[in-house]
Amino acid sequence: MIDRLDYLTELGVNAIYFTPVFEATTNHKYDTSDYFRVDPHFGTNETLKTLVRECHARGIRVLLDAVFNHSGRQFAPFVDVIEKGEESLYKDWFHVRKWPLRIEDGVPTYETFAFEPIMPKLNTSNPEVRDYLLKVASYWMDEIGIDGWRLDVANEVDHQFWREFRQTVKKANPDAYILGEIMHDAMPWLQGDQFDAVMNYPFTNTVIDFSLRGKSTAPASQRRSARCSPVTRPR
């Protein structure tokens, strides 16, 4: 990426959103093992810091992906719970339905993301979990200099956590951008106390249905407006 930033600048790119870069066991990296370390497949924390600095020199802002709804199976607190069970200091960091942690008839005895055993759901109502994740948010902004966050499956995390998250992020950088992934109507998250914007999937699906699949049509008034609207060409 660092070697190709000039090419991106030529294309007019002014922001880069990275899918997860933290250490994880999968290719997609949505099963975080270490929230404070860049996955060795991508480089190091210092490499990312250099990338952010070079991006800023070209007027490019950088967003990282915050996977705070769930961790990975190799996340140290979850490993501790697997090993020590109810005696673990981290037992309340997760949503355990039944001890011990195991898979019964293909279903984990603990809550996960999308029924995936390697992605245990974090208990963000636990003050210790909230404090930990907020420190993660602060670290990458203060130490690495990123410009904002894209929040994975944000609708599955409680609103109060996101309110505290916003306060933390805006304290680190008032101009930071907070983008939530919401699969449906997002108004509860856009009241000024949580996100700046969302990934607008309903609009995306509507455009695809109209332009590619022919499943929907524009109202007649809009079609007339589109035909009559002048087209401004770049000079």
Side-chain angles (χ1 to χ4, degrees):
M1 288 292 297
I2 294 172
D3 294 340
R4 290 164 175 77
L5 286 178
D6 288 338
Y7 170 67
L8 296 181
T9 301
E10 291 175 3
L11 293 178
V13 172
N14 59 16
I16 300 174
Y17 148 53
F18 286 97
T19 52
V21 299
F22 306 148
E23 186 174 39
T25 64
T26 61
N27 286 337
H28 55 68
K29 306 301 179 187
Y30 280 96
D31 60 319
T32 310
S33 299
D34 189 338
Y35 284 89
F36 288 94
R37 185 184 184 210
V38 169
D39 192 285
H41 286 97
F42 303 142
T44 66
N45 291 24
E46 284 301 314
T47 307
L48 179 58
K49 189 172 184 177
T50 298
L51 171 62
V52 171
R53 183 174 63 247
E54 292 296 327
C55 283
H56 289 172
R58 295 165 173 80
I60 299 175
R61 297 186 179 184
V62 178
L63 272 69
L64 294 188
D65 204 321
V67 189
F68 291 167
N69 172 66
H70 54 273
S71 69
R73 185 178 175 83
Q74 297 304 314
F75 181 46
F78 190 71
V79 172
D80 193 81
V81 176
I82 292 176
E83 295 175 349
K84 301 177 182 177
E86 294 183 79
E87 301 301 317
S88 172
L89 296 176
Y90 301 99
K91 67 175 183 177
D92 294 327
W93 279 45
F94 307 92
H95 299 271
V96 181
R97 293 192 295 267
K98 180 181 178 182
W99 299 96
L101 300 189
R102 60 185 180 185
I103 310 300
E104 295 184 346
D105 298 324
V107 179
T109 59
Y110 49 92
E111 291 188 28
T112 68
F113 169 67
F115 307 102
E116 176 51 65
I118 69 168
M119 297 183 184
K121 183 175 176 63
L122 290 163
N123 179 13
T124 52
S125 64
N126 183 328
E128 292 180 356
V129 175
R130 290 203 303 270
D131 290 345
Y132 175 84
L133 295 177
L134 294 179
K135 287 178 182 176
V136 171
S138 295
Y139 171 80
W140 295 98
M141 300 193 70
D142 295 338
E143 299 298 325
I144 307 301
I146 68 167
D147 303 287
W149 292 94
R150 179 267 190 186
L151 311 176
D152 185 56
V153 287
N155 60 295
E156 297 189 21
V157 179
D158 62 277
H159 289 280
Q160 184 55 35
F161 173 78
W162 290 134
R163 293 186 182 99
E164 294 181 31
F165 177 85
R166 181 182 182 86
Q167 293 173 4
T168 298
V169 168
K170 296 296 184 177
K171 180 178 179 180
N173 178 1
D175 294 326
Y177 192 60
I178 302 175
L179 176 66
E181 181 191 31
I182 305 294
M183 305 298 293
H184 44 74
D185 178 73
M187 288 309 296
W189 290 268
L190 296 174
Q191 301 300 310
D193 61 344
Q194 294 173 71
F195 307 158
D196 295 317
V198 295
M199 301 179 72
N200 198 334
Y201 292 114
F203 176 75
T204 300
N205 293 334
T206 298
V207 171
I208 292 174
D209 284 344
F210 173 72
S211 61
L212 296 180
R213 297 171 180 160
K215 292 184 178 180
S216 61
T217 59
S221 60
Q222 293 183 12
R223 293 199 298 270
R224 288 194 299 270
S225 176
R227 288 197 299 269
C228 296
S229 297
V231 177
T232 302
R233 294 183 173 84
R235 295 180 179 178

